[in-house]
Amino acid sequence: MNSPTDEDLVANWRDEPAPLLPLLHAFHDRDGYLSEESIAVVSAGLKIPIAELFATITFYHHFAREAPGQSAPRVCTGPICALHGADALLASLDGATPMPCAGRCDGPIPVIKGQQVLIGTNAEELAPTASPLPVANPDGYEECVFADIRAEGRSTLAGYRQSGGYTALQQALTQSPPELIALITDSQLAGRGGAGFPTGQKWQAVANASGEPKSVVCNADEGEPGCFKDRAVLEHDPHAVLEGMLLAAFATGSTRGFIYLRYEYPETCALLETAIAEARTANLIGDNILGSDFSCELYIRRGAGAYICGEEGSLLNSLEGKHPYPRNRPPFPVTHGFEDLPTAVNNVETLVSVPQIVRRGAEWYRSLGLDGRVGTKVISLSGDVQRPGNYEVPFGLPLKTLLYQWAGGPAAGRQIQAVTMAGLSGGFLAGEDLDAPLDEPSIRERGSMLGAGGIMVFDDSRNIVDVARQAMAFFAEESCGKCFPCRIGTQRLEERLSGGGPTDLATWQTEITDIGSAMKATSACGLGMAAPFITDSLLKYFPEQVAQHVQS
Amino acid sequence: MSSNGIQHQLILDGEEVNFSAGETLYEIAERHRKEIPTLCYDPRLEPFGACRLCVVELEGARNPVASCTTKATAGMVVKTQSEPVEKYRKTLLEMVVSENREVEVDPLRGYASQELGKLTDRYQARTGRFKGAQSGQLHATDDNPFIFRDYDLCISCNRCVRVCAEQEGDHAIAAMGRGFHKQITTEFNGLLKDSSCTFCGQCVQTCPTGALADKKALRAAELPEPLQKTRSVCPYCGVGCSVDLLSKGEKLVGIHPAMDGPANEGALCVKGQFAFDFVQHTDRLSMPMVRGDDGELHETDWDTALDRAADGFAKTLKKHGRHSIYGIASGRTPSEANYTMQQFIRRGYGTHYIDNCSRA
Amino acid sequence: MSNPLSDMDKPDVIFCIGTNMTECHPVAATRIKKALKRGAKMIVADPRKIQLAEMADVYLPIRVGSDVALLLAMAHVIVRDDLHDHAFIEERTLDADQFLEHLSEFTPEWASTITEVPAADIEKAAKLYGAGDKGAIYYTLGITEHICGVDNVQSLCNLALLTGNLGREGTGINPMRGQNNIQGAGDVGAIPSNYPGFQKVDDPESKAKFEALYGREMDGERGITKVKALNLCGSEIFAMLIDGENTVVSDPDRKHCEHALSSLDHLVVIDIFLTETAQMADVVFPASAFAETDGVCTNTERRVQRLRQAVPPPGEAKPDWWIICQLAKRLGFEGFEYESAKDIFNELCSISPIYTGLDWDRIDKSEYQWPAPEEGHPGTPILHENEFTNGRGLFKLVRYRDPAETISEAFPVWLTTGRRLQAYHTRTQTGRSAGIDYLLSEESLEIHPEDVDAWGLQDREFCRLSSARGSVEVRVRATNRSPRGTVFTSFSFNDVPVNILTGSGYDPITDTAELKVCPVRVEALDKSESDAAG
């Protein structure tokens, strides 16, 4: 087959919604990199000024601009892979470059080559490996997100239907959108990407907002280090995501939906494309779905490597082909989202909960939490524990239970020194605070947050200041560079965790806390507000290590 | 004030003030002379919300909000100068200063070039705290004669990028990369000449640190005389952009666009911004000249030249009559020149043998 | 301009014809770009694919000199599709019926054969302009520098009258003037037809007024234009006073101009440089320049603004007005006893009906657009709001005419001339400003790449460009901006004196030269010639 011409590629995408990313990927996949000529063609084809397009391309980690580009290995050097020897692997592979956490923290080190993720701890071992299926919890707590994920053939349409799939959509279509919104509101389901905004309320706002077409966006840009739950869901239960999106679209009056999928999950992208094709054939996507008046198209848009695109404003800008800075809020996406029109942006985990709630009822969902808490949360657990993986926990489960009973605790002879929460964004929890029950208010009380639910464990053999340095280096690398407190603050904090800055402890601490306070109070988005959790918690739990670091 | 005239109220620093729909907290505060500090703000551009210096306390909000991007709603309670907010501002300025080579720059660099220096003085933020890496990179290879790209002084406020896109519509520059290492650059990180830049100089004039600087004006940096500004109008096309002439002593050293110029509202083009030095070019005529018997033009004094000129017209009148003398005025001289020219012909000869260059 | 510059981001539909605004009026063009960003639609008619054309929703690459045909057909479509503004026509215009009938024969298909633009695109443009609530027309010398310049302007007026696009915000007929005080030169009477303030010289009332003022008898008929005067040099015209104009380079048919000026008995030139024209003078007076002089100028939107002195003029250079007054006094003329520019301007205001409400101090902040007909008047940003100058708007029955010269076997290519962003006029100013050469150091002839091949030329090499009046050598630049069969160059560079070629004809009413159309021949230079040229 001849490779497509520039004109073919532009013609394929020019009139599609959100065309920039897929068009850039088309060139990137064809040539292995984005040449200046290709960038000029895209600029002309989509009428994006060339300087802006160029700058936008440089924003993303994974767009190569010269050969060999895409085929050169990219090695995850995230916090957990660093523990597994990522630096050595990186050094051993020809032409390899590092990449931030690629969401495989429950296994060996991932290496992306072309459209494949290879897993292994050394060059010989690298091989494509499917994502592990989440295991059921040992205490027998009922699940929602993972309730049916282990059913035979669940990732195919037939298997999904066999285990109850799409009955929720069928059921909803016999009712009205307000009834669906009322049900979700009643269930008290809240956003599982970290912000915890009540889902029913968000949908109601989109339904009420004026402007059409409305959109549903599934945020599958799982970029937080130590988070890999969405990947498990998307790979093993893709139709549940589609069904959740269709329900959200029906509830909000949206006629189009986008899955914004992170670049680092290429196989997942292929699986989703298959799932969407199957669903379209079965009249589950498209016009007059299942014979109803409801019509909705679903599209996949692949990111290109930028943590900040998990922030919904950045994500929407990225979808629209703009420079992916976060947006100033208000206005919020519910009224001014994709293309400035009403948009419901929901996380993968939130969306897959919806079909279960529709089938089993609001009361059922509410009852899943412990001690009066509502619902469940998937935790991606990784690092120095014996059984890392995705666990769906009832809200209120003690963190210690998860760490020791469910995951087997640290290796023999080791103690847990600290865990990071919300991936990295919640900073460290350590000492007595590891007794905390897993729910947002309890974790917040301890100066951290649960967020998207990534928990990374560091045992007493680890240099905790260096873990903090790596974390801050990640935030500095991923800061979008727009707002001053975050752009400069993450850099200065990283420098101070790497041995730079004052050598007088008190001065060092005042600088750290002054920078951190300004960042938390004035940053334009969550990245800059959250990054100082790392330094704050480091100072709180590990003053001696800090003193040693500064004075040495 | 909005055109619909409907007024709402909010509390600003303890005082009830009116505002109209669509106004931002910054605009309202500005009207009440609150002097909120900013670095990324240019009133001609869409608010960007990058520098965060303009944060104010808003009752009920968890964190201070950027006043430039926050639209006012009725009943808001806003504090513009609370102690914590002032401390954040100082810390932010100390952070900004920490990544710059210098804060004190020659005002010849550009219209807004003193903004950072003034703010750091106001907040006494030149403390030397937060030392570390520098973010900007001097683009010394760009040999264009107009715009000095001294990115060592860049603070990534994006005003240049925004003015180029929003005000000028050229989209010649953009911000490359992310985070601390973000750089303002052109397509493919090349020279301005190879981009869609038209050298209008708008980026130079909005730069709050002098990172983008007027190379031509800087030629006069060493002149000892004080810098003077004189309001005038650009000498080129018919748009009539208002400019401020920059002079030191008897030397014309540069041009600033007039932000309040009714025709241009701060805009200029390459000619108006940079093509001013013809005025003091060595080719300028400085003495009257008359054609000698050798057929060449020779410098002379005014009396001689005026007599000679008058004599020629007098003789022509005598020999060929009123309708043998013609005047051509210019579209580039002031109206007083044109008025006296037409009066010279009309009043002197009673004819209408006068025209100007509008036909070419 | 009928409307202010600040209106330019307000129209729904923008129609740019014969204006290369992004290069010639860049700051005005920024407002158009804002309008487009806001969602306005734009029609651009221009033989060359200029930058505006790239931004247009409908681009009409018309053959040079075919504007009238295009505009007639657009009016035809507007009337045919009932897009015209019945109420406006009824209330504000005269002779509409005749005009509507006149239009019936000018179909888009007919215009297509003349303009070489598809009829469908003409329809599209007409419907867009006709359907817009606020439609604004912008034009420059691409409309006026034709033998049918007046017809072109009239055709645009017809379109605006037909659609009621006058007298309201975001509408209007808006000529973009090319020089900073070209508007002022006309305002103050430096034209053969009007006393200051557009008081007609052939109006007995004006004549009487100025005879009283000047204490002498005045001619009751118009003077001759500059073009005619140049033609009569040595036969009827024997002395000239030229202030600040490089006639030899900027006017058409350079050889003719040089010949004309050299036939004079007496030539006096006032300028800031020893221009090609000054070099021919008997006496040259050194004038003060921009930044060295106080005064007033009026911009394209009729805004009356102050120029201020910042630095002293070189040597003994003096303000133009001072020089003229000194000369007048030596000739014994009365009424030149001014002490300052302020004196002169205030006198002008006292005798000019459009400036009556202004004086030197009032215009300190540039707030006024004329007319300001009485004291305290706020000025007039938008003309024709309730009434036209002569009451009702008049439709003119215009017909298409061929350019003065059309392409032939000997001269098979259309040449059109214009300006470039980086150079101003004859480069007396921009050519002497440091750095401008970095952007544009020499002139070139823009030719479609396929024509470059077809005519046996080499990109970047020199070619010879000839018309019936002469020939010049110029470097070839292959570019898609030029359509096939039409080439472009500017008149800014003295070493490519393109006005040697131009001057094929003049508008019969205004005497404006047809600088935008000139049939030429383009030939490769042979080896020895091109070495010499390079």
Side-chain angles (χ1 to χ4, degrees):
Chain A
M1 202 176 72
N2 289 335
S3 71
T5 64
D6 292 358
E7 292 72 28
D8 293 341
L9 296 180
V10 171
N12 283 349
W13 288 105
R14 188 175 42 213
D15 300 320
E16 291 291 307
L20 177 64
L21 281 171
L23 181 54
L24 289 174
H25 280 304
F27 278 94
H28 199 240
D29 292 346
R30 187 191 68 179
D31 303 335
Y33 64 101
L34 293 171
S35 65
E36 292 189 1
E37 294 72 29
S38 302
I39 294 171
V41 168
V42 173
S43 160
L46 299 185
K47 293 201 164 183
I48 302 173
I50 197 158
E52 281 166 26
L53 178 59
F54 168 74
T56 298
I57 288 167
T58 64
F59 191 92
Y60 296 104
H61 191 91
H62 286 292
F63 281 136
R65 284 184 289 117
E66 52 194 28
Q70 210 180 23
S71 61
R74 291 145 202 214
V75 180
C76 175
T77 53
I80 300 306
C81 291
L83 306 180
H84 294 165
D87 287 344
L89 180 62
L90 178 65
S92 73
L93 296 173
D94 259 2
T97 50
M99 67 176 165
C101 179
R104 302 288 298 232
C105 321
D106 49 353
I109 302 162
V111 175
I112 299 183
K113 273 188 85 170
Q115 303 292 335
Q116 253 191 340
V117 180
L118 311 171
I119 303 286
T121 43
N122 58 57
E124 294 71 42
E125 206 173 75
L126 288 174
T129 315
S131 297
L133 192 61
V135 293
N137 65 70
D139 292 337
Y141 288 115
E142 194 172 0
E143 296 171 312
C144 170
V145 176
F146 293 157
D148 297 310
I149 201 168
R150 300 173 202 93
E152 180 78 23
R154 178 77 174 177
S155 66
T156 65
L157 178 60
Y160 184 68
R161 282 193 139 155
Q162 219 144 39
S163 46
Y166 288 116
T167 55
L169 178 63
Q170 253 163 342
Q171 189 185 325
L173 290 177
T174 64
Q175 297 171 314
S176 68
E179 283 171 290
L180 178 53
I181 292 176
L183 172 73
I184 297 303
T185 306
D186 190 29
S187 76
Q188 296 178 31
L189 176 66
R192 293 288 176 251
F197 192 84
T199 306
Q201 202 179 321
K202 183 182 279 185
W203 288 6
Q204 187 66 58
V206 176
N208 290 348
S210 57
E212 281 178 347
K214 297 176 182 178
S215 302
V216 168
V217 173
C218 169
N219 184 347
D221 192 52
E222 185 173 47
E224 182 71 40
C227 285
F228 43 88
K229 66 187 175 73
D230 294 342
R231 176 171 52 83
V233 171
L234 290 160
E235 274 189 38
H236 296 292
D237 209 357
H239 283 284
V241 180
L242 305 188
E243 189 177 11
M245 288 180 74
L246 291 166
L247 287 164
F250 177 70
T252 54
S254 300
T255 53
R256 54 187 181 178
F258 298 93
I259 301 172
Y260 189 95
L261 180 68
R262 74 179 304 205
Y263 178 87
E264 291 81 353
Y265 296 168
E267 292 91 347
T268 314
C269 185
L271 272 166
L272 278 171
E273 275 166 3
T274 308
I276 286 179
E278 283 179 314
R280 185 172 286 114
T281 310
N283 185 220
L284 292 157
I285 295 173
D287 290 339
N288 302 103
I289 290 168
L290 300 176
S292 70
D293 291 341
F294 171 55
S295 301
C296 185
E297 270 305 325
L298 297 184
Y299 309 92
I300 305 172
R301 293 293 177 261
R302 260 184 102 186
Y307 170 65
I308 198 62
C309 288
E311 194 279 340
E312 63 184 4
S314 290
L315 186 155
L316 292 168
N317 280 339
S318 175
L319 263 187
E320 290 181 16
K322 296 179 179 158
H323 206 75
Y325 289 140
R327 294 179 174 181
N328 295 312
R329 296 137 59 101
F332 294 93
V334 289
T335 54
H336 295 77
F338 179 64
E339 295 179 340
D340 248 11
L341 292 165
T343 302
V345 183
N346 290 119
N347 178 257
V348 171
E349 185 183 342
T350 318
L351 287 167
V352 296
S353 302
V354 170
Q356 298 291 0
I357 294 170
V358 171
R359 278 159 52 200
R360 300 168 197 239
E363 166 56 29
W364 167 80
Y365 183 75
R366 286 201 306 271
S367 72
L368 294 179
L370 304 181
D371 310 320
R373 298 175 179 86
V374 167
T376 66
K377 177 79 193 89
V378 176
I379 301 293
S380 298
L381 186 66
S382 61
D384 295 327
V385 288
Q386 299 194 35
R387 289 187 293 277
N390 284 307
Y391 295 94
E392 184 170 3
V393 304
F395 274 117
L397 186 80
L399 173 55
K400 272 204 168 143
T401 308
L402 173 67
L403 293 175
Y404 293 94
Q405 266 90 67
W406 293 22
R414 290 285 163 209
Q415 303 289 317
I416 292 179
Q417 184 177 197
V419 302
T420 62
M421 301 300 291
L424 283 177
S425 294
F428 298 107
L429 278 188
E432 287 178 4
D433 287 339
L434 294 179
D435 290 336
L438 288 167
D439 66 68
E440 198 65 67
S442 304
I443 304 295
R444 290 256 176 203
E445 243 168 58
R446 289 160 176 82
S448 177
M449 59 183 177
L450 190 54
I455 297 180
M456 293 185 276
V457 183
F458 297 90
D459 70 24
D460 53 1
S461 69
R462 310 297 180 185
N463 176 345
I464 205 72
V465 176
D466 196 55
V467 172
R469 176 195 62 78
Q470 283 182 48
M472 199 55 72
F474 171 80
F475 288 126
E477 163 78 20
E478 295 296 336
S479 164
C480 78
K482 177 180 168 180
C483 84
F484 289 20
C486 176
R487 183 177 63 81
I488 309 171
T490 52
Q491 171 75 17
R492 291 289 179 260
L493 291 179
E494 184 202 341
E495 287 165 356
R496 275 143 191 75
L497 291 168
S498 324
T503 48
D504 171 66
L505 182 62
T507 315
W508 191 92
Q509 283 180 342
T510 338
E511 285 204 3
I512 294 286
T513 46
D514 279 359
I515 293 172
S517 318
M519 287 173 72
K520 284 185 283 185
T522 69
S523 288
C525 85
L527 195 163
M529 292 179 191
F533 279 128
I534 288 286
T535 36
D536 285 357
S537 56
L538 186 72
L539 287 168
K540 171 178 163 190
Y541 296 117
F542 305 104
E544 284 161 32
Q545 287 92 326
V546 167
Q548 202 184 357
H549 164 79
V550 175
Q551 285 155 352
S552 70
Chain B
M1 296 293 133
S2 76
S3 49
N4 62 21
I6 297 173
Q7 291 287 303
H8 311 274
Q9 285 80 39
L10 58 72
I11 307 291
L12 182 69
D13 291 339
E15 195 185 334
E16 188 172 86
V17 301
N18 288 335
F19 68 93
S20 17
E23 273 194 293
T24 63
L25 295 182
Y26 182 82
E27 288 163 341
I28 298 164
E30 177 86 332
R31 276 201 283 109
H32 291 85
R33 301 177 194 288
K34 294 297 183 190
E35 297 195 357
I36 295 177
T38 64
L39 281 172
C40 69
Y41 188 77
D42 179 328
R44 299 171 299 161
L45 306 177
E46 289 291 314
F48 191 54
C51 75
R52 316 306 286 179
L53 289 172
C54 75
V55 291
V56 294
E57 278 189 15
L58 174 62
E59 205 169 274
R62 190 157 46 120
N63 280 324
V65 299
S67 59
C68 70
T69 59
T70 306
K71 294 238 162 79
T73 57
M76 278 180 163
V77 178
V78 177
K79 278 192 203 155
T80 66
Q81 318 277 345
S82 73
E83 199 182 314
V85 156
E86 288 287 285
K87 179 164 185 206
Y88 297 140
R89 289 172 180 164
K90 178 170 180 172
T91 304
L92 288 172
L93 282 166
E94 288 171 330
M95 286 162 73
V96 171
V97 171
S98 77
E99 62 154 343
N100 260 24
R101 190 185 67 214
E102 60 196 327
V103 171
E104 207 76 62
V105 299
D106 194 309
L108 288 169
R109 283 187 175 240
Y111 176 84
S113 62
Q114 306 303 299
E115 283 186 24
L116 177 61
K118 282 186 189 155
L119 279 183
T120 47
D121 287 346
R122 177 174 151 196
Y123 280 89
Q124 296 179 315
R126 236 175 285 192
T127 57
R129 297 179 88 201
F130 309 137
K131 282 204 184 70
Q134 312 276 295
S135 68
Q137 291 152 24
L138 174 72
H139 224 290
T141 49
D142 198 327
D143 63 348
N144 83 77
F146 306 120
I147 300 175
F148 185 26
R149 301 170 73 187
D150 187 6
Y151 292 130
D152 289 3
L153 302 182
C154 176
I155 58 169
S156 274
C157 67
N158 274 43
R159 273 162 71 166
C160 53
V161 172
R162 288 147 59 216
V163 85
C164 186
E166 294 175 28
Q167 189 73 0
E168 191 62 22
D170 279 345
H171 302 271
I173 48 177
M176 169 184 184
R178 292 195 297 249
F180 194 68
H181 303 290
K182 172 182 149 194
Q183 300 290 322
I184 306 299
T185 189
T186 61
E187 62 197 56
F188 308 126
N189 198 19
L191 302 182
L192 285 171
K193 188 167 90 159
D194 300 328
S195 74
S196 56
C197 174
T198 60
F199 293 92
C200 68
Q202 289 283 288
C203 53
V204 167
Q205 305 303 353
T206 194
C207 179
T209 66
L212 294 172
D214 180 340
K215 270 190 190 170
K216 290 188 70 170
L218 278 175
R219 295 179 306 187
E222 300 307 320
L223 293 183
E225 295 93 339
L227 185 63
Q228 305 278 351
K229 281 191 180 191
T230 309
R231 176 61 53 90
S232 193
V233 178
C234 171
Y236 290 105
C237 81
V239 170
C241 298
S242 295
V243 294
D244 284 326
L245 310 171
L246 306 183
S247 57
K248 279 185 164 187
E250 297 193 343
K251 180 94 180 150
L252 181 67
V253 299
I255 300 284
H256 277 171
M259 294 301 157
D260 54 349
N264 54 317
E265 293 168 353
L268 282 182
C269 75
V270 60
K271 294 187 284 284
Q273 177 63 70
F274 292 115
F276 60 87
D277 41 344
F278 71 90
V279 170
Q280 295 185 326
H281 195 276
T282 50
D283 286 355
R284 278 292 299 282
L285 294 172
S286 59
M287 294 288 286
M289 299 172 95
V290 295
R291 196 166 296 279
D293 296 336
D294 58 358
E296 300 294 319
L297 286 167
H298 297 280
E299 289 190 348
T300 184
D301 58 83
W302 276 99
D303 259 343
T304 310
L306 284 166
D307 280 344
R308 170 80 175 273
D311 187 53
F313 287 114
K315 281 187 180 146
T316 305
L317 176 67
K318 208 167 195 180
K319 193 166 165 195
H320 299 288
R322 299 190 287 131
H323 292 96
S324 67
I325 294 166
Y326 201 84
I328 301 177
S330 172
R332 296 189 288 282
T333 53
S335 289
E336 293 74 16
N338 293 313
Y339 179 77
T340 44
M341 269 294 280
Q342 64 87 31
Q343 183 163 271
F344 179 86
I345 294 293
R346 294 205 162 99
R347 194 151 188 171
Y349 302 105
T351 73
H352 306 290
Y353 275 33
I354 172 76
D355 206 347
N356 67 65
C357 52
S358 71
R359 275 165 245 310
Chain C
M1 292 172 78
S2 65
N3 286 55
L5 289 161
S6 60
D7 251 23
M8 289 182 72
D9 53 12
K10 302 196 175 85
D12 306 316
V13 187
I14 292 163
F15 182 17
C16 289
I17 181 164
T19 172
N20 184 9
M21 204 189 297
T22 56
E23 294 206 60
C24 302
H25 302 90
V27 171
T30 63
R31 295 184 189 263
I32 292 220
K33 293 178 195 169
K34 283 183 198 162
L36 297 180
K37 215 169 266 179
R38 213 205 60 233
K41 301 285 178 209
M42 181 160 74
I43 306 156
V44 171
D46 201 291
R48 302 169 58 220
K49 196 161 189 201
I50 51 174
Q51 203 189 347
L52 281 181
E54 287 166 7
M55 301 184 248
D57 296 279
V58 182
Y59 169 48
L60 306 166
I62 56 171
R63 195 212 72 209
V64 291
S66 66
D67 309 69
V68 167
L70 168 72
L71 300 172
L72 279 170
M74 283 177 67
H76 172 98
V77 172
I78 287 169
V79 172
R80 185 198 69 196
D81 290 5
D82 198 24
L83 295 169
H84 48 311
D85 186 337
H86 295 272
F88 187 89
I89 293 170
E90 177 72 22
E91 289 158 23
R92 307 267 323 255
T93 72
L94 276 182
D95 297 336
D97 291 347
Q98 225 181 330
F99 176 67
L100 299 191
E101 203 184 300
H102 173 72
L103 287 176
S104 61
E105 62 183 287
F106 303 114
T107 63
E109 290 71 26
W110 163 82
S112 176
T113 64
I114 295 168
T115 57
E116 298 170 17
V117 168
D121 289 347
I122 299 176
E123 296 242 355
K124 222 189 276 175
K127 287 173 185 167
L128 201 54
Y129 179 74
D133 172 44
K134 290 189 274 187
I137 294 170
Y138 302 95
Y139 70 88
T140 315
L141 300 175
I143 279 294
T144 50
E145 286 181 348
H146 290 281
I147 59 158
C148 53
V150 170
D151 293 349
N152 285 345
V153 173
Q154 202 54 61
S155 303
L156 292 171
C157 293
N158 285 343
L159 267 188
L161 287 173
L162 200 56
T163 52
N165 276 314
L166 276 168
R168 288 181 292 131
E169 181 180 80
T171 67
I173 311 246
N174 301 288
M176 311 297 299
R177 307 303 304 259
Q179 301 171 48
N180 70 328
N181 197 30
I182 198 74
Q183 182 69 47
D187 293 357
V188 307
I191 35 177
S193 52
N194 298 337
Y195 290 109
F198 301 101
Q199 302 174 84
K200 302 278 175 226
V201 297
D202 46 12
D203 170 16
E205 215 173 293
S206 307
K207 182 170 181 282
K209 173 175 169 182
F210 281 89
E211 283 179 342
L213 195 67
Y214 293 161
R216 69 167 297 152
E217 201 176 326
M218 294 298 300
D219 285 357
E221 64 281 350
R222 293 173 174 213
I224 56 175
T225 62
K226 178 179 71 170
V227 168
K228 289 230 169 65
L230 287 169
N231 287 338
L232 296 174
C233 283
S235 59
E236 291 181 26
I237 301 294
F238 292 94
M240 270 198 190
L241 175 60
I242 300 180
D243 180 16
E245 202 218 20
N246 193 7
T247 307
V248 169
V249 183
S250 64
D251 277 40
D253 200 344
R254 178 166 179 168
K255 284 181 190 160
H256 169 71
C257 285
E258 283 173 349
H259 178 75
L261 295 184
S262 62
S263 321
L264 295 171
D265 290 351
H266 187 55
L267 174 62
V268 177
V269 171
I270 306 169
D271 214 317
I272 60 173
F273 294 111
L274 196 62
T275 62
E276 290 79 358
T277 306
Q279 285 168 32
M280 302 183 68
D282 297 291
V283 182
V284 180
F285 290 119
S288 56
F290 157 74
E292 296 167 352
T293 204
D294 287 333
V296 173
C297 63
T298 303
N299 77 353
T300 190
E301 55 172 348
R302 299 167 280 106
R303 187 180 298 280
V304 188
Q305 311 196 89
R306 287 264 294 280
L307 297 158
R308 292 180 183 81
Q309 179 178 6
V311 290
E316 299 188 13
K318 298 282 185 192
D320 306 77
W321 66 262
W322 182 91
I323 300 168
I324 297 160
C325 291
Q326 291 301 313
L327 188 56
K329 285 192 226 174
R330 292 202 184 213
L331 285 163
F333 301 166
E334 279 177 25
F336 288 86
E337 307 300 326
Y338 309 109
E339 303 217 322
S340 65
K342 178 177 176 175
D343 286 353
I344 302 170
F345 183 74
N346 285 343
E347 178 181 301
L348 164 67
C349 294
S350 72
I351 60 165
S352 166
I354 57 173
Y355 284 12
T356 307
L358 307 180
D359 65 38
W360 185 261
D361 296 324
R362 276 195 87 193
I363 61 166
D364 185 52
K365 297 252 182 298
S366 306
E367 293 151 293
Y368 295 95
Q369 288 167 267
W370 67 253
E374 71 256 341
E375 214 150 302
H377 193 282
T380 312
I382 301 178
L383 293 180
H384 320 305
E385 266 186 305
N386 302 308
E387 208 180 335
F388 294 103
T389 323
N390 302 314
R392 282 173 171 249
L394 293 178
F395 288 104
K396 291 276 167 64
L397 307 188
V398 173
R399 283 182 176 273
Y400 169 75
R401 286 180 285 143
D402 274 338
E405 288 174 11
T406 54
I407 48 174
S408 60
E409 213 166 299
F411 301 108
V413 175
W414 298 106
L415 165 70
T416 188
T417 66
R419 288 160 171 81
R420 299 186 189 278
L421 170 67
Q422 304 87 350
Y424 183 72
H425 266 255
T426 61
R427 295 182 81 250
T428 54
Q429 297 177 167
T430 51
R432 290 186 178 91
S433 293
I436 294 290
D437 278 358
Y438 173 85
L439 301 179
L440 181 72
S441 57
E442 67 168 356
E443 190 45 76
S444 57
L445 184 68
E446 296 182 7
I447 308 178
H448 192 281
E450 289 170 24
D451 283 343
V452 171
D453 291 342
W455 301 340
L457 307 173
Q458 288 287 321
D459 192 16
R460 309 274 158 196
E461 295 296 323
F462 278 82
C463 70
R464 180 182 298 110
L465 184 65
S466 317
S467 79
R469 282 157 296 282
S471 70
V472 297
E473 286 167 7
V474 57
R475 205 183 280 281
V476 170
R477 194 163 125 222
T479 168
N480 288 316
R481 283 214 190 280
S482 284
R484 298 272 333 241
T486 300
V487 298
F488 170 84
T489 189
S490 89
F491 63 86
S492 293
F493 285 78
N494 192 38
D495 58 353
V496 183
V498 69
N499 281 332
I500 283 179
L501 312 179
T502 57
S504 52
Y506 296 83
D507 185 281
I509 298 172
T510 62
D511 268 343
T512 300
E514 189 153 63
L515 290 171
K516 296 298 177 191
V517 186
C518 178
V520 291
R521 186 170 63 238
V522 187
E523 298 157 295
L525 297 188
D526 68 34
K527 178 82 178 74
S528 60
E529 286 177 311
S530 62
D531 287 349

